[in-house]
């Protein structure tokens, strides 16, 4: 168990170092040597976990789905919005997410990875929209697959434009604006009026998850913390929604 935990820590250390290298230099400019230097491990340790630079880059792309923990909501359209806003909040702050975005969108690797994480994001958004439809939250004309594809494309465009024009400094505000413009064409009026889509939404959800985790870790004495439901009176169960999403 000790060896396994040490191996997991080493793998995570390598992924974080690789993310910073890929984010700074891109796929073509990144080298295993630079990853070794930043991770503070041996080259053999890197190759023990990852067979090649391509394998390492794929690991970074896939790891981003474990980064954005979003609480489950009774209102699936709120969960839909929360997912996009949490990523907008974390992207400028988390090298793994930032590198995953660059590897997924960079022309030098787009064909190599078959779109990187894009198909995974489409799948996640479609899953949430299907659930929203089952709860009667969608307008009659909305097709979850089409809406998920279009929202992912629009979110990607906003991210690229924010990166180019402001270094992502305005990303949360711009993504909030995207949802505020798009959701009236998706949500039924009763749900739309209750959705929380402000620029600070991602930060608030991240803080909510951190508080829930801290309460859970501090609850070893068996005193259950009930924790107030946040956002639209929704029942909250913190979990990594993206953990089951397959990435192509």
């Amino acid at each position: 168990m000790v060896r396994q935990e040490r191996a997991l820590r080493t793998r995570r250390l390598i992924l974080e170092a690789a993310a910073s290298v890929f984010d700074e230099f891109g796929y073509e400019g990144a080298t295993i040597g630079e990853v070794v230097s930043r991770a503070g491990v041996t080259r053999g340790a890197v190759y023990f976990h990852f067979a090649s630079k391509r394998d390492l880059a794929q690991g970074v792309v896939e790891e981003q789905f474990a980064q954005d923990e979003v609480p489950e909501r009774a209102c699936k359209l709120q969960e839909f919005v929360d997912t996009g806003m949490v990523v907008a909040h974390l992207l400028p702050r988390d090298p793994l997410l930032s590198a995953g975005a660059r590897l997924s969108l960079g022309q030098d690797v787009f064909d190599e990875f078959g779109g990187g994480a894009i198909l995974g994001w489409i799948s996640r958004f479609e899953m949430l929209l299907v659930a929203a439809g089952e709860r009667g939250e969608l307008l009659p004309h909305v097709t979850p697959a089409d809406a998920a594809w279009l929202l992912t494309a629009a979110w990607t465009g906003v991210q690229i434009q924010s990166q180019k024009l402001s270094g992502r400094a305005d990303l949360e505000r711009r993504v909030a604006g995207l949802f505020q413009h798009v959701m009236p064409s998706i949500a039924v009026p009763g749900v739309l009026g209750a959705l929380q889509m402000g620029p600070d939404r991602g930060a608030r959800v991240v803080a909510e998850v951190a508080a829930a985790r801290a309460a859970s870790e501090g609850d070893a004495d068996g005193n259950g913390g009930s924790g107030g439901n946040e956002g639209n009176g929704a029942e909250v169960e913190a979990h990594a929604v993206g953990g089951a999403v397959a990435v192509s």
Side-chain angles (χ1 to χ4, degrees):
M1 288 297 295
V2 172
R3 288 183 178 180
Q4 186 177 31
E5 291 174 2
R6 186 183 302 119
L8 289 173
R9 287 197 300 269
T10 300
R11 185 180 188 277
R12 175 70 182 192
L13 187 66
I14 292 168
L15 281 173
E16 290 176 348
S20 69
V21 174
F22 286 127
D23 201 27
E24 183 174 345
F25 298 107
Y27 181 76
E28 292 298 332
T31 65
I32 295 293
E34 184 63 24
V35 174
V36 167
S37 176
R38 295 193 186 189
V41 300
T42 65
R43 187 177 290 265
V46 173
Y47 283 115
F48 175 80
H49 291 279
F50 303 97
S52 63
K53 184 171 80 169
R54 185 193 185 284
D55 192 29
L56 184 55
Q58 186 69 46
V60 170
V61 169
E62 293 177 358
E63 188 67 15
Q64 67 181 289
F65 287 101
Q67 297 303 104
D68 59 311
E69 293 185 18
V70 176
E72 185 175 349
R73 310 290 187 193
C75 175
K76 289 301 170 181
L77 284 185
Q78 185 64 66
E79 192 175 331
F80 178 80
V81 171
D82 288 353
T83 299
M85 292 306 303
V86 165
V87 176
H89 176 72
L90 293 178
L91 196 60
R93 299 167 172 85
D94 190 322
L96 276 164
L97 280 171
S98 183
R102 177 164 183 171
L103 289 168
S104 297
L105 300 173
Q107 291 302 311
D108 53 347
V109 293
F110 188 84
D111 293 334
E112 182 83 3
F113 294 117
I118 292 174
L119 294 179
W121 288 117
I122 293 173
S123 295
R124 178 184 297 191
F125 281 131
E126 182 178 354
M127 175 184 67
L128 290 171
L129 288 172
V130 167
E134 292 171 349
R135 288 163 171 76
E137 299 172 11
L138 301 181
L139 292 169
H141 69 274
V142 177
T143 302
D146 292 342
W149 195 100
L150 289 170
L151 194 284
T152 303
W155 199 108
T156 299
V158 168
Q159 189 274 135
I160 292 172
Q161 192 145 305
S162 175
Q163 171 67 31
K164 296 292 186 182
L165 298 180
S166 73
R168 297 192 183 124
D170 65 349
L171 182 58
E172 290 176 88
R173 178 168 64 88
R174 298 300 184 183
V175 172
L178 170 65
F179 280 117
Q180 290 161 12
H181 280 79
V182 169
M183 295 311 289
S185 67
I186 292 178
V188 297
V191 171
L192 179 64
L195 290 178
Q196 299 183 35
M197 299 181 285
D200 65 339
R201 180 64 184 173
R204 288 166 52 207
V205 174
V206 168
E208 175 192 350
V209 171
R213 183 184 296 116
S216 176
E217 292 172 353
D219 201 28
D221 60 358
N223 294 323
S226 59
N229 292 336
E230 196 279 347
N232 304 319
E235 296 176 2
V236 177
E237 178 187 347
H239 73 298
V241 174
V245 176
V247 181
S248 300

